[in-house]
Amino acid sequence: MATPVEFNMVLPWELGENLEHPIPFRGEAHTYNYDRQWLSLRGKNVKKKELLRLLKLGQRAQLPHLFPDSTPEDLKIAKMKYGKAGLMELYNYRLAYRNAPISTKLFIASALANTTMCEMSDDNPGSILVRLLRIPELGVQILDYVVPSIGDLTALAMSCREVCFFVRQHLELWDFHSGKFNTDCFEEKHDLHGHLLQSGGVRSDILVITPITDLPAGPQTPHQADFENMRLLCDTIIQIPKSFKTIVIDQISYFESKMFEMMVHSMPNLDSVTISRCKLLDVTKLPALLDVVHRHPRPMGGNTEKGKNKEEDDKALKKFIRLDFFPFFFRGPNSANRLGSYGITYNEPTFPTPKAVFALIMRCMPVATYVGMDLLSDSSSVWNFVRQLPGPDVLWAVKARDVLITRDHDLAEGKKNPQDIYRAFENDLMAALSGDNHRPHDPPERMMVRLPPIKGLDQSRFWRSKLRCRLCRFVHPLSLFPLARDECWACKLSQFNLDMEDSHLRHWQLPALSRWFQGLDLRKATIQELLANGVNNMEETMRDVRLADHVWNYFMNHFVPDDFNQPFCPPPPQGMPWELAAMCRWRWYRSPAKERFDYRQGGPQREDPCKRPLLASQHNDPSFGAETEQNFSHRWQWTAHTTNVYASYWIKLYNYNLAFGYIHSTDDERVRVQLRLARTSPQERVRACHWEHQWQNREDVQAYRAHQEDVEDCTYSLFTVNMTPFSLDRPLLDPMLHREAYKQLKTEFMFSLRPTGL
């Protein structure tokens, strides 16, 4: 790492207006140590350039978004803020295009598709970079050095028209939406006499798979179209498995970590992979992707010298796939009425984004370092994702990154006491992720009775203790745990996205993939085996895919919001775990649809449905549940589950009446006779539907009660003034800069808690 330049202490609040200024240290919390070398900035001119640039980027991200339904008053306030920031040109541009769909096309792919954007010219013949790129061997080496960083590759292409032309010449574009993936120019060809006409060797081109065109107009089945395109893509890859070393996968539907592992198995020459903005690959999938890279090293010969230990010997004989990963960024609905823009999840989270994402990064760092994946440099797509997330201030991610890098640097240098290094690390990490001026508040007494004590440590220094998470087994500072300290924030984030993240019909896409993968050894399976396996599972798989189209089409074209007393709850896929299905029903119960919407753009944005406890009378009420009986009966059909539920309820009723002897099990002949009668009798079918709905209500209530306690713990552990998560739309009020507004918000929040006894 480069030696930092000499500098004076950098105080961010001196670089611009309206920036957080820490209050004096009072012993109950710790403010960030700004008197540091800023090793993460790699020796750049910290005071005059780099921090000021990062501040401007952060402040620009917090400017109000202009929506199609923004009111004149909203636009007036936004215009004032843009003008104060000196960005009126940006305001006018966003105002002019606020009704246009948000463009998400990959720049380098758009450049390749546009034949006039990257034409070769002699406008800049003297450029050293252009002259180097025109040498074929050097040009290929430069590209190989840049990949897999999609950010660096895009920056290279944008440098000038000549460089853009060069990059364009080394990209092979497959438009995912078209479903046409040309392989004719890659396959090995021979004439009738067996003479080689075209070689099918490994290409130096970068294969870019991304949607360029919009889905073609036609039947209302976009999910079926996406799934068929994925099958065609898989079929194409197995035709040329050895052709490409470098692949860029951008915004591909039905693509997740298991599919990536099959691709690694099927393409032996694969060396670099960039995965960007795939809807099923949010930031919680980073550990899974790293595990795939770690499990499947590529053999590397030539170096036979032994290292100091077995681990070094093993690593010297391996090379790992170079991976760059930009998780899907959840921007939220394009509406002024949205709850917020959270980045890390579409719905309102119940966890602090900064703590959750850095706990995840810290857990992934050992494996990432071993396989050579970049997580924290400016070239890393993971870092470019993290720095866009909301937090306590605009520099929170920069400060937290420098804390991690400084700790590792000081430990490797060995000049400081390790205890002092870890103490500074714990103090500054707490301040970076929570904010300088924000103090933890006391939870209500009814929560305190179930919280574990902090043994051998003053409560005012809780963040200096360490704890092993019971799920991921990683040792984190205590600041990365909620109050209950049962699981770290990274595990809470993963569980939230698994249970609650249903945007873009993710909960309907994942069961379809699970059906497709059924019966395969996913750690060893290839794409060839997947396609062969689809012969047996495709009917059930397509049933789930068609169900996703049914739900999308209903809310997009047929929904009529005329009866809020009977909210519609879309049918869950049969492969969806029961707990996920219960949470889906509770979300629709708490936040019923009020207008038509496009689920492919995200769908409705909601808060956690289990924030409020149920009434005591609702705990054992069989008629109370998340889904109305009318909605349930409309989608009900007799299944194997119905048979079990009907038998159990009928036995209880039969034994209660004690008519002709006690029935002990469902194997009794009287039960089998009754089941045969029930399947054909209209009256018994109505009763079977009613009993199964009561059974569902009971299970839904149990799932709600189990989830509600965890949600309450997470919500109070946010430690924000009104227990709201960080959002790009509503930056956190600073107690020093916004004293009156902060005090008023705190008073209103405390008053709102009184009716519930909190």
Side-chain angles (χ1 to χ4, degrees), residues 330-343:
F330 297 91
R331 301 191 180 278
N334 190 28
S335 170
N337 297 320
R338 68 184 184 185
L339 297 176
S341 179
Y342 306 109

Side-chain angles (χ1 to χ4, degrees), residues 365-654:
M365 283 292 290
V367 179
T369 302
Y370 183 79
V371 302
M373 182 180 180
D374 181 12
L375 293 182
L376 293 177
S377 80
D378 291 340
S379 297
S380 168
S381 290
V382 173
W383 166 247
N384 287 323
F385 170 85
V386 170
R387 69 175 180 81
Q388 298 179 43
L389 295 174
D393 56 69
V394 296
L395 282 179
W396 75 267
V398 179
K399 295 190 291 187
R401 177 180 71 162
D402 199 76
V403 171
L404 289 178
I405 292 177
T406 300
R407 180 200 63 178
D408 294 342
H409 173 270
D410 290 345
L411 288 173
E413 193 177 43
K415 295 182 179 180
K416 297 181 180 178
N417 187 336
Q419 185 175 357
D420 294 337
I421 295 174
Y422 281 109
R423 180 62 55 85
F425 165 74
E426 293 152 4
N427 287 342
D428 288 342
L429 185 68
M430 172 67 177
L433 301 180
S434 301
D436 284 326
N437 294 337
H438 297 276
R439 302 292 184 257
H441 54 253
D442 294 329
E445 292 184 3
R446 61 186 178 85
M447 286 186 62
M448 290 293 291
V449 298
R450 68 171 188 257
L451 295 183
I454 305 178
K455 298 180 181 179
L457 191 70
D458 182 6
Q459 288 278 356
S460 65
R461 297 291 189 275
F462 69 92
W463 61 85
R464 291 181 180 174
S465 181
K466 295 182 179 65
L467 189 64
R468 185 180 299 276
C469 176
R470 71 176 186 180
L471 285 185
C472 66
R473 307 307 298 166
F474 194 85
V475 178
H476 286 295
L478 207 56
S479 59
L480 300 183
F481 286 85
L483 286 168
R485 298 191 284 280
D486 52 349
E487 303 163 9
C488 69
W489 279 122
C491 291
K492 294 289 188 183
L493 161 63
S494 299
Q495 193 62 42
F496 181 93
N497 277 17
L498 178 64
D499 293 343
M500 309 302 295
E501 192 48 69
D502 63 342
S503 64
H504 307 88
L505 289 173
R506 286 158 55 100
H507 282 170
W508 278 259
Q509 295 183 48
L510 290 172
L513 288 176
S514 297
R515 296 274 189 187
W516 197 15
F517 299 155
Q518 191 172 3
L520 294 175
D521 184 352
L522 297 178
R523 294 199 173 194
K524 299 179 180 179
T526 62
I527 293 180
Q528 293 93 327
E529 294 174 304
L530 175 65
L531 292 175
N533 188 65
V535 175
N536 301 321
N537 300 336
M538 194 50 59
E539 183 178 350
E540 293 183 350
T541 301
M542 292 307 299
R543 182 188 60 198
D544 287 343
V545 174
R546 287 191 293 269
L547 181 58
D549 275 327
H550 166 73
V551 174
W552 171 82
N553 191 36
Y554 174 81
F555 285 111
M556 185 71 179
N557 300 311
H558 304 294
F559 175 69
V560 179
D562 57 353
D563 188 1
F564 297 137
N565 294 322
Q566 300 290 334
F568 174 74
C569 180
Q574 290 187 10
M576 179 183 290
W578 185 262
E579 294 79 6
L580 295 187
M583 288 299 105
C584 283
R585 288 189 285 269
W586 283 117
R587 280 191 295 273
W588 288 106
Y589 174 82
R590 293 295 189 192
S591 305
K594 298 181 180 179
E595 59 185 1
R596 294 183 181 182
F597 57 84
D598 187 355
Y599 236 136
R600 290 182 59 88
Q601 299 300 320
Q605 189 183 39
R606 294 167 288 203
E607 63 178 14
D608 195 297
C610 303
K611 276 188 172 182
R612 299 182 294 274
L614 297 176
L615 299 177
S617 60
Q618 296 171 334
H619 291 178
N620 299 312
D621 183 0
S623 64
F624 173 75
E627 184 179 11
T628 63
E629 187 161 5
Q630 177 183 347
N631 190 93
F632 179 83
S633 60
H634 180 72
R635 66 175 179 85
W636 178 84
Q637 56 184 342
W638 195 291
T639 63
H641 182 260
T642 307
T643 300
N644 295 331
V645 172
Y646 181 89
S648 63
Y649 273 77
W650 186 82
I651 290 173
K652 290 180 181 179
L653 181 63
Y654 186 93

Side-chain angles (χ1 to χ4, degrees), residues 638 646 650 669-688:
W638 195 291
Y646 181 89
W650 186 82
E669 179 63 24
R670 289 167 290 182
V671 177
R672 290 195 289 268
V673 171
Q674 180 63 27
L675 285 173
R676 287 194 295 269
L677 172 65
R679 289 190 181 95
T680 58
S681 170
Q683 293 85 355
E684 290 301 318
R685 289 179 66 87
V686 170
R687 186 157 65 164

